[in-house]
Amino acid sequence: MEEENAVELLQRFRRDRRVLLDFILSGSLIKKVVMPPGAVTLDDVDLDQVSVDHVLNCAKKGGMLELSEAIRDYHDSTGLPQMNSTSSADEFFLVTDPAFSGSPPRRAPPSIPASTPISVAAPVYAPSPVASLSSVAKSESFNSEEERELTVDDIEIDDFEDDDLDAEEVASARVVRRNTNDASDLVPKLPTFATGIADDDLRETAYEVLLACAGAAGGLIVPSKEKKKDKKSRLMRKLGRSKTQTLASQSERAPGMAGLLETMRAQMEISESMDIRTRKGLLNALTGKVGKRMDTLLIPLELLCCISRTEFSDKKAYIRWQKRQLYMLEEGLINHPVVGFSESGRKGSELRILLAKIEESEFRESSAGEVQRTECLRSLREIAVSLAERSTRGDLTGEVCHWADGYPLNVKLYEKLLLSVFDILDEGKLTEEVEEILELLKSTWRVLGITETIHYTCYTWVLFRQFVITKELGVLQHAIEQLNRIPLREQRGPQERLHLKSLSSRVDGQELSFLQSFLSPIQKWADKRLGDYHLHFSEDPAVMEGILQVAIVTRRLLVEESETVTAMDRDQIESYISSSIKTAFTRTLQGVDKSDAMHDHSLALLAEETKKLLKKESSLFSPILSQRHPQSIVISASLLHRLYGIKLKPFLDGAEHLTEDVVSVFPAADSLEHYIMSLISSTSGDGTAEVNLRKLNSYQVESVSGTLVMRWVNSQLGRLLGWVDRALQQERWEPISPQQRHAPSIVEVYRIVEETVDQFFALKVPMRSSELNSLFRGVDNAFQVFAKHVKDKLENKEDLIPPVPVLTRYKKEAGIKAFVKKELFESKLPEETTKSRVVDVQATPILCVQLNTLFYAISQLNKLEDSIWEQWTAKKPREQFIKKSLEEKSPSLKQKGSFDGSRKDINAAIDRICEFTGTKIIFWDLREPFIENLYKPSVSQNRLEDLIEPLDLELSQLCSVISDQLRDRIVTSLLQASLDGLVRVLLDGGSSRVFHHTDAKILEEDLEVLKEFFISGGDGLPRGVVENHVARVRQVIKLHGYETRELIDDLRSSSGGGGSKLGGDTQTLLRILCHRTDPEASQFLKKQFRIPKSLS
């Protein structure tokens, strides 16, 4: 079973099902079978629509079976999953393939009472035949001890002989479930057949015609080897399956005509037994007819004569087959002949009598019935052949058999042949052999009277209807391709023009030509959907482009056919736009009326919905419509502007106060009008934009007073300052999180600011630039207040720095010890007083949080400013297109620098805090190890490298809190403070610090240590920045390295106005000499400057 291809597997499933049903209904399992209304025998009942489970339940109970109920149960259970007939309600079969069905059902199946029998739904085959087999296998593995109902699996079918049964039971392998509702209004305007022949009858007869035409070329005897065309159009390759996905690959299919006919048999769902019978019958019909072509035979008559009852295993099947052949003869020779009757229709009446007698013969005794049938067939041949071989269209007698080329029978048969181009397992794709099939179908043109125009028209119809059913865009594209190939009147030959003119039919009292019968339904279907394209093409606008092309081309062909003068294509496009816009607006209006909006006025909601509608129009549909009408978006936008204006005008006339409804409706209406104008201006040319805008009747929403807006702005700004003050009073200067290192107060301030800005623009009423300037000034002032508050909380950094001790010289005499002690004692009093006054200085983490907060404030200002300007620009598009108002020309309205005041104050506050933090760490936190103890009692005993560890701890604490963007800035301030402290130690270290010129090398090494600490191997400050700051300290150390005599001479020179040769100023040279351990320096300072001795 696994080796059979998909088509044969599905055919076997359907055939076996019908065999089982036929066996049950014909046997003694059912007490009585009640036929549905309109049916006489089982032959009139479509067993495919009978519920198997309903029949089995009736057989089990031994009751009466009403087939109408069984049919109803089948349709009711079609959409339900197939259930297992066991006591468990948790087991069921999926209709779809789980691999492609997504997540499992969220709800459990409904519970079923134990006493209620579980009905088994009719089998619904999944897309994959293998999946269906696995489901059947699973059902067989379920074992239950409880009594269960009779199912299909309980019936043994091994005893049935099914070799010939598939002739009547054609498998339906359609996996794509057709949505007939979409195609219900797409029906060709053709008269119905008097005999009531069905689509299956036409399909089987069409296949018989195809076999006869193939037989004329030898296709039924020795298949000719034909080379399959490798060249395919791009559309064919796109629609056709790949070689691994086809029903039968090229390697499996027989070569040449034989293989192609086998493919056609599968595509047209013809059973093998029927195919064999037809081939034998056609070949037998040619016996003894030398020179006779098979396609010139009267096929139904020849098959009736050459195929006997014995070739059918079922009499019912034979009767159905014979009835079809008789009906075809009646339709082709009597009801729809290609050549009209003479002799007042005498032969037609005789023919009908003979057909009725042949049908009646099957219900008489076998011998009498056979005799009657033989005699009638002989008489039938005489009349039918004479009717069929009459010449027409310029052919000779006997050259063409005119039995299937009468209109509309011929196009209905040809339609069935054209349907074979679709993949039997996926109706949205063309089969890979489509080009070969179309070439083969050309052989039937002679028998069916098909011309090139008829072919392209029918093929267009078949493809377009298939698109309507499957929604496949590729099928629509191929239909358009065929539609464009339909030749115009001047492109047809004179004989074809006469032939097409003769093809007419009367439907509902209207005389229709061939093209009108097939193309007018297409045009009507397309016009109906394009008349409301917002409803039909919102999900797939690409389809609209194809439908629009179909509508335009069919309209041109029908206009040429009817020889009437109609509007141009652009006028038709305008009618589509007008109809769809009005319908969509009406639908929108109804939706707004039904909505239960509690706050917004209905006109405000309508404006928003209208804008959405116009956006959808411009983005989805206008690009398609503009290809055929460049002004399509102008038409739709202007129409929507007028439709909404009609609804808005009564409200505008009655608005007297700035109520909630006015505030709600005016902004929405103004926004809609702005959008419409911008859309028209952007799509119109330079010369037409102003003209199109002048045609609009403006809503005049600008009547709202700007004074009311200014009053609102002032009140909101007062509220904003109150919130800033409140946020600062509650601030504890702790970071929000490790990632957000700023304080929550600035977030609250920005929240209030953004809320104020949002409320300002939420008004959406026309405003002047003065209102916007007022908003900018108020927000700018709020941030200035915030920065000033933070800066004012700081102490002066001078309060952190101990006072400079008095200058002393290296001791040499002891005569003035009392004086020196007094000086030193007095110099310490201010230092202690200062420290006691600043004990409440803020900690380093708090200072870092303040810096982060100020940096966050200034970094968000640009974003806030840009946001305000973007909203303002979006709010005032009208002035860009209609009136250049004085507000726009005002020099006071600048788009940059609106927050310059707050930027300046915040940057100043950041610089102040950074400087204060560096000074605090060096002169307050590290005062004892740095300022007081460095280089005491000598340079070699207490060096700078001992300060690196505490300095690193302070730096680590600083970097753990400070924002990454401020790291270099604050570390630079720390570097500056460290160098200031080092200079303080070297020049104003007090009487306890003395230096020798040999200490300069050690001092230089310590300076390098400090420099490398801040560079930190490239992870710290840039080397160039550090070098620039260190340069001034390096100069001081260099001066410390000079001999005392050189320093004295340079000091004398600079004091006398000659300038310093060593690069130091007078104060620096003086302080270096004061700290020099040299009697010569001490003697010089005593004589020249009267500086007292130090105590050390």
Side-chain angles (χ1 to χ4, degrees), residues 832-902:
E832 295 174 356
T833 304
T834 301
K835 190 167 184 178
S836 65
R837 236 177 7 98
V838 295
V839 291
D840 60 344
V841 67
Q842 293 170 323
T844 300
I846 291 180
L847 294 172
C848 291
V849 173
Q850 290 178 346
L851 284 171
N852 294 340
T853 303
L854 291 173
F855 179 78
Y856 178 84
I858 198 171
S859 64
Q860 296 297 314
L861 275 179
N862 287 336
K863 182 179 178 181
L864 175 63
E865 187 177 20
D866 292 341
S867 175
I868 293 175
W869 278 114
E870 287 176 3
Q871 294 183 72
W872 178 258
T873 304
K875 185 179 182 62
K876 294 174 69 67
R878 186 191 310 272
E879 284 76 4
Q880 301 177 19
F881 311 114
I882 303 177
K883 57 182 183 178
K884 300 296 182 180
S885 65
L886 295 177
E887 301 170 1
E888 294 297 322
K889 301 178 182 178
S890 174
S892 63
L893 193 61
K894 301 182 295 183
Q895 292 198 9
K896 292 298 178 184
S898 302
F899 295 130
D900 283 348
S902 55

Side-chain angles (χ1 to χ4, degrees), residues 485-516:
R485 292 182 179 180
I486 298 177
L488 299 175
R489 178 175 298 177
E490 62 272 8
Q491 296 173 336
R492 305 166 195 160
Q495 187 175 355
E496 186 180 16
R497 286 200 295 267
L498 291 175
H499 177 57
L500 289 176
K501 189 175 182 180
S502 65
L503 302 183
S504 63
S505 59
R506 179 171 291 275
V507 180
D508 297 332
Q510 184 180 6
E511 195 72 24
L512 300 173
S513 66
F514 164 73
L515 288 176
Q516 290 173 336

Side-chain angles (χ1 to χ4, degrees), residues 921-960:
I921 292 175
I922 298 301
F923 289 92
W924 185 262
D925 298 337
L926 299 179
R927 174 185 293 186
E928 182 176 352
F930 201 133
I931 305 301
E932 296 179 358
N933 296 330
L934 183 63
Y935 299 142
K936 284 185 179 181
S938 64
V939 173
S940 60
Q941 293 181 2
N942 199 347
R943 296 184 62 176
L944 185 64
E945 61 184 10
D946 298 332
L947 285 173
I948 295 301
E949 184 175 353
L951 190 61
D952 184 55
L953 291 176
E954 293 290 340
L955 186 59
S956 298
Q957 183 185 24
L958 197 69
C959 293
S960 65

Side-chain angles (χ1 to χ4, degrees), residues 1025-1064:
V1025 174
V1026 178
E1027 289 287 355
N1028 291 336
H1029 283 82
V1030 167
R1032 64 185 180 90
V1033 183
R1034 197 183 303 278
Q1035 179 63 26
V1036 174
I1037 294 175
K1038 182 179 179 181
L1039 293 174
H1040 270 287
Y1042 287 107
E1043 296 287 345
T1044 302
R1045 173 50 53 190
E1046 294 179 286
L1047 293 174
I1048 291 174
D1049 293 342
D1050 196 56
L1051 178 59
R1052 285 174 175 171
S1053 174
S1054 61
S1055 298
S1060 175
K1061 296 179 181 180
L1062 301 180

Side-chain angles (χ1 to χ4, degrees), residues 523 526-527 530 546-556 576:
Q523 185 195 28
D527 287 346
L530 290 173
I547 298 300
L548 182 61
Q549 187 174 355
V550 169
I552 295 299
V553 177
T554 53
R555 180 171 169 273
R556 292 174 183 172
Y576 291 149

